[in-house]
Structures are given as C-alpha cells and as structure tokens.
Coordinates of all heavy atoms in Angstrom, one line a residue:
G1 N 0.8 -1.2 0.0 CA 0.0 0.0 0.0 C 0.8 1.3 0.0 O 0.2 2.4 0.1
C2 N 2.1 1.2 -0.1 CA 3.0 2.3 -0.1 C 3.7 2.4 -1.5 O 3.8 1.4 -2.1 CB 4.0 2.3 1.1 SG 3.2 2.2 2.7
I3 N 4.3 3.6 -1.7 CA 5.1 3.8 -2.9 C 6.5 3.6 -2.4 O 7.1 4.3 -1.5 CB 4.9 5.2 -3.4 CG1 3.4 5.3 -3.9 CG2 5.8 5.5 -4.6 CD1 3.0 6.7 -4.4
Y4 N 7.2 2.7 -3.1 CA 8.5 2.3 -2.8 C 9.6 2.6 -3.8 O 9.4 2.1 -5.0 CB 8.6 0.8 -2.4 CG 9.9 0.2 -2.1 CD1 10.5 0.5 -0.9 CD2 10.5 -0.8 -2.9 CE1 11.7 -0.2 -0.6 CE2 11.6 -1.3 -2.7 CZ 12.3 -1.1 -1.5 OH 13.4 -1.7 -1.2
V5 N 10.5 3.5 -3.6 CA 11.6 3.9 -4.5 C 12.9 3.3 -4.0 O 13.2 3.6 -2.8 CB 11.7 5.4 -4.7 CG1 12.7 5.8 -5.8 CG2 10.4 6.0 -5.1
H6 N 13.5 2.5 -4.8 CA 14.8 1.8 -4.3 C 15.9 1.8 -5.3 O 15.6 1.6 -6.5 CB 14.3 0.4 -3.9 CG 15.4 -0.6 -3.6 ND1 16.1 -0.6 -2.4 CD2 16.1 -1.4 -4.4 CE1 17.0 -1.5 -2.4 NE2 17.1 -2.0 -3.6
T7 N 17.0 2.0 -4.9 CA 18.3 1.8 -5.7 C 19.2 0.9 -4.9 O 19.3 1.1 -3.7 CB 19.0 3.1 -6.2 OG1 19.3 3.8 -5.1 CG2 18.1 3.9 -7.1
E8 N 19.9 0.1 -5.6 CA 21.0 -0.7 -5.1 C 22.1 -0.8 -6.0 O 21.9 -0.8 -7.3 CB 20.6 -2.0 -4.6 CG 20.1 -3.0 -5.7 CD 19.6 -4.3 -5.2 OE1 18.7 -4.3 -4.4 OE2 20.2 -5.3 -5.6
N9 N 23.4 -0.7 -5.6 CA 24.5 -0.8 -6.4 C 25.7 -1.5 -5.6 O 25.7 -1.5 -4.4 CB 25.0 0.6 -6.9 CG 25.4 1.5 -5.7 OD1 24.5 2.2 -5.1 ND2 26.7 1.5 -5.4
Y10 N 26.4 -2.2 -6.5 CA 27.6 -2.9 -5.9 C 28.5 -1.9 -5.2 O 28.9 -0.9 -5.8 CB 28.3 -3.8 -6.9 CG 29.4 -4.7 -6.4 CD1 29.0 -5.9 -5.8 CD2 30.7 -4.3 -6.5 CE1 30.0 -6.7 -5.2 CE2 31.7 -5.1 -5.9 CZ 31.3 -6.3 -5.3 OH 32.3 -7.1 -4.8
C11 N 29.0 -2.4 -4.0 CA 30.0 -1.5 -3.3 C 31.0 -2.4 -2.5 O 30.5 -3.0 -1.5 CB 29.2 -0.5 -2.4 SG 30.2 0.6 -1.5
S12 N 32.1 -2.5 -3.0 CA 33.1 -3.4 -2.4 C 33.7 -2.9 -1.2 O 34.3 -3.6 -0.4 CB 34.2 -3.8 -3.4 OG 34.8 -2.6 -3.9
S13 N 33.7 -1.5 -1.0 CA 34.3 -0.9 0.2 C 33.3 -0.6 1.3 O 32.2 -0.1 0.9 CB 35.0 0.4 -0.3 OG 36.0 0.2 -1.3
P14 N 33.6 -0.8 2.5 CA 32.7 -0.5 3.6 C 32.5 1.0 3.7 O 33.4 1.8 3.5 CB 33.4 -1.1 4.9 CG 34.9 -1.2 4.5 CD 34.9 -1.4 3.0
L15 N 31.3 1.4 4.0 CA 31.0 2.8 4.1 C 30.8 3.2 5.6 O 30.4 2.4 6.4 CB 29.7 3.1 3.4 CG 29.7 2.9 1.9 CD1 28.4 3.2 1.3 CD2 30.8 3.8 1.2
R16 N 31.1 4.4 5.9 CA 30.8 5.0 7.2 C 29.7 6.0 7.2 O 29.5 6.7 6.3 CB 32.1 5.8 7.7 CG 32.0 6.2 9.1 CD 33.4 6.6 9.7 NE 34.0 7.7 9.0 CZ 33.8 9.0 9.2 NH1 33.1 9.4 10.3 NH2 34.3 9.9 8.5
F17 N 28.8 5.7 8.2 CA 27.5 6.5 8.3 C 27.6 7.6 9.4 O 28.1 7.3 10.5 CB 26.4 5.7 8.4 CG 26.1 4.8 7.2 CD1 26.8 3.7 6.9 CD2 25.1 5.2 6.2 CE1 26.5 3.0 5.7 CE2 24.8 4.5 5.1 CZ 25.5 3.3 4.9
A18 N 26.9 8.6 9.2 CA 26.8 9.7 10.2 C 25.4 10.3 10.0 O 25.1 10.8 9.0 CB 27.9 10.8 10.1
G19 N 24.6 10.3 11.1 CA 23.2 10.8 11.0 C 22.4 10.1 10.0 O 21.5 10.7 9.4
G20 N 22.6 8.8 9.8 CA 21.8 8.1 8.8 C 22.2 8.2 7.3 O 21.6 7.6 6.5
L21 N 23.2 9.0 7.1 CA 23.7 9.2 5.7 C 25.2 8.8 5.6 O 26.0 8.9 6.5 CB 23.6 10.7 5.3 CG 22.2 11.4 5.4 CD1 22.3 12.9 5.1 CD2 21.2 10.7 4.4
P22 N 25.5 8.3 4.4 CA 26.9 7.9 4.3 C 27.9 9.1 4.2 O 27.5 10.1 3.7 CB 26.9 7.2 2.9 CG 25.7 7.8 2.2 CD 24.8 8.1 3.2
V23 N 29.0 9.0 4.9 CA 30.0 10.1 4.9 C 30.8 10.0 3.5 O 31.3 9.0 3.2 CB 31.0 9.9 6.1 CG1 32.0 11.0 6.0 CG2 30.2 10.0 7.4
T24 N 31.0 11.1 2.9 CA 31.6 11.2 1.6 C 33.0 10.8 1.8 O 33.7 11.1 2.8 CB 31.5 12.6 1.0 OG1 32.2 12.6 -0.2 CG2 32.1 13.6 1.9
T25 N 33.5 10.0 0.8 CA 35.0 9.6 0.8 C 35.8 10.6 0.1 O 37.0 10.4 0.0 CB 35.1 8.2 0.2 OG1 34.6 8.3 -1.2 CG2 34.4 7.2 1.0
K26 N 35.3 11.7 -0.4 CA 36.1 12.6 -1.1 C 36.9 13.6 -0.2 O 36.5 13.8 1.0 CB 35.1 13.5 -2.1 CG 34.4 12.7 -3.1 CD 33.5 13.5 -3.9 CE 32.8 12.8 -5.0 NZ 31.9 13.5 -5.8
S27 N 38.0 14.1 -0.6 CA 38.9 14.8 0.2 C 38.2 16.2 0.6 O 38.4 16.6 1.7 CB 40.2 15.1 -0.4 OG 40.0 15.8 -1.7
D28 N 37.4 16.8 -0.3 CA 36.7 18.1 0.0 C 35.4 17.8 0.6 O 34.4 17.6 -0.1 CB 36.6 18.9 -1.3 CG 36.1 20.3 -1.0 OD1 35.8 20.6 0.2 OD2 35.9 21.1 -1.9
K29 N 35.3 17.8 2.0 CA 34.1 17.4 2.6 C 33.0 18.5 2.5 O 31.9 18.3 2.6 CB 34.4 17.2 4.2 CG 35.5 16.1 4.4 CD 35.2 14.8 3.9 CE 36.3 13.8 4.3 NZ 36.0 12.4 3.8
T30 N 33.5 19.7 2.3 CA 32.5 20.8 2.2 C 31.8 20.9 0.9 O 30.7 21.5 0.9 CB 33.2 22.1 2.5 OG1 34.2 22.4 1.6 CG2 33.9 22.1 4.0
A31 N 32.4 20.3 -0.1 CA 31.8 20.5 -1.4 C 31.0 19.3 -1.8 O 30.4 19.3 -2.9 CB 32.9 20.7 -2.5
H32 N 30.9 18.3 -1.0 CA 30.3 17.0 -1.4 C 29.3 16.5 -0.3 O 29.5 17.0 0.9 CB 31.3 15.9 -1.8 CG 32.1 16.3 -3.0 ND1 31.6 16.3 -4.3 CD2 33.4 16.8 -3.1 CE1 32.6 16.7 -5.1 NE2 33.7 17.1 -4.4
G33 N 28.5 15.6 -0.6 CA 27.6 15.0 0.5 C 26.3 15.5 0.4 O 25.4 15.1 1.1
Y34 N 26.1 16.6 -0.5 CA 24.7 17.2 -0.5 C 23.8 16.4 -1.4 O 22.6 16.7 -1.4 CB 24.9 18.6 -1.1 CG 25.5 19.5 0.0 CD1 26.8 20.0 -0.1 CD2 24.7 20.0 1.1 CE1 27.4 20.8 0.9 CE2 25.3 20.9 2.1 CZ 26.6 21.2 1.9 OH 27.2 22.0 2.9
G35 N 24.3 15.5 -2.2 CA 23.4 14.7 -3.0 C 22.5 13.8 -2.1 O 21.3 13.7 -2.4
T36 N 23.1 13.1 -1.2 CA 22.4 12.3 -0.2 C 21.4 13.2 0.6 O 20.3 12.8 0.9 CB 23.2 11.5 0.7 OG1 24.2 12.3 1.3 CG2 24.0 10.4 -0.2
Q37 N 21.9 14.4 1.0 CA 21.0 15.2 1.8 C 19.8 15.8 0.9 O 18.7 15.9 1.5 CB 21.8 16.4 2.3 CG 22.9 16.1 3.4 CD 23.6 17.3 3.9 OE1 23.0 18.3 4.2 NE2 24.9 17.2 4.0
S38 N 20.1 15.9 -0.3 CA 19.0 16.4 -1.3 C 17.9 15.3 -1.4 O 16.7 15.6 -1.5 CB 19.6 16.8 -2.6 OG 18.6 17.2 -3.5
I39 N 18.4 14.0 -1.4 CA 17.5 12.9 -1.5 C 16.5 13.0 -0.3 O 15.3 12.9 -0.3 CB 18.2 11.6 -1.5 CG1 18.9 11.4 -2.8 CG2 17.2 10.4 -1.3 CD1 19.9 10.2 -2.9
R40 N 17.1 13.1 1.0 CA 16.3 13.2 2.1 C 15.4 14.4 2.1 O 14.2 14.4 2.5 CB 17.2 13.2 3.3 CG 16.4 13.5 4.6 CD 17.4 13.4 5.9 NE 17.9 12.1 6.1 CZ 18.7 11.9 7.2 NH1 19.2 12.9 7.9 NH2 19.1 10.6 7.4
F41 N 15.9 15.6 1.6 CA 15.1 16.9 1.6 C 13.9 16.7 0.7 O 12.8 17.0 1.1 CB 16.1 17.9 1.0 CG 15.4 19.3 0.9 CD1 15.4 20.1 2.0 CD2 14.8 19.7 -0.3 CE1 14.8 21.4 2.0 CE2 14.3 21.0 -0.3 CZ 14.2 21.8 0.8
V42 N 14.1 16.1 -0.5 CA 12.9 15.9 -1.4 C 12.0 14.9 -0.8 O 10.7 15.1 -0.9 CB 13.4 15.5 -2.8 CG1 12.2 15.1 -3.7 CG2 14.3 16.5 -3.5
A43 N 12.4 13.8 -0.3 CA 11.5 12.8 0.3 C 10.7 13.4 1.4 O 9.4 13.2 1.5 CB 12.4 11.6 0.8
E44 N 11.3 14.0 2.3 CA 10.6 14.6 3.5 C 9.6 15.7 3.0 O 8.6 16.0 3.7 CB 11.6 15.1 4.5 CG 12.4 14.0 5.1 CD 13.4 14.6 6.2 OE1 13.6 15.8 6.2 OE2 13.9 13.7 6.9
K45 N 9.9 16.4 1.9 CA 9.0 17.4 1.4 C 7.6 16.8 1.1 O 6.6 17.5 1.3 CB 9.6 18.0 0.1 CG 8.8 19.1 -0.5 CD 9.5 19.6 -1.8 CE 8.6 20.6 -2.5 NZ 9.2 21.1 -3.7
Y46 N 7.6 15.5 0.7 CA 6.3 14.9 0.4 C 5.9 13.8 1.5 O 5.2 12.9 1.2 CB 6.5 14.2 -1.0 CG 6.6 15.2 -2.1 CD1 7.9 15.6 -2.5 CD2 5.5 15.7 -2.8 CE1 8.0 16.5 -3.6 CE2 5.6 16.6 -3.8 CZ 6.9 17.0 -4.2 OH 7.0 17.9 -5.2

C-alpha cells in the first residue's frame, strides 16, 4: 500500500555513516555529500 523507490549498487568498500547518511569519501568534505542530503530533503518534502 506504499510507494517504494529503491536503488542498489555494488559497493566493495565499507561505508561509514553519520546521521543516517553515508560520509563522503572525497577529500573536500565541504563540497560534497549534498546529493544524499538532497534525497532526504525531497523525500521529506512529500
């Protein structure tokens, strides 16, 4: 009875999470990581 949106992709390296979101592995932490936040932002909007 719910609308389910799902993606999965192969990931051989373990990820670290903070606040329920994966921590970016890129060196510039300030310029990245907003893609996952945008997913949450749009989802919570609806």
Side-chain angles (χ1 to χ4, degrees):
C2 300
I3 297 173
Y4 177 68
V5 183
H6 170 83
T7 57
E8 62 182 59
N9 61 276
Y10 185 79
C11 183
S12 58
S13 302
L15 297 176
R16 185 165 62 91
F17 289 79
L21 300 177
V23 177
T24 179
T25 57
K26 298 178 181 178
S27 58
D28 185 1
K29 307 296 184 184
T30 61
H32 299 284
Y34 288 103
T36 53
Q37 293 184 44
S38 181
I39 293 172
R40 175 180 286 180
F41 181 85
V42 173
E44 292 179 349
K45 177 179 177 181
Y46 294 91

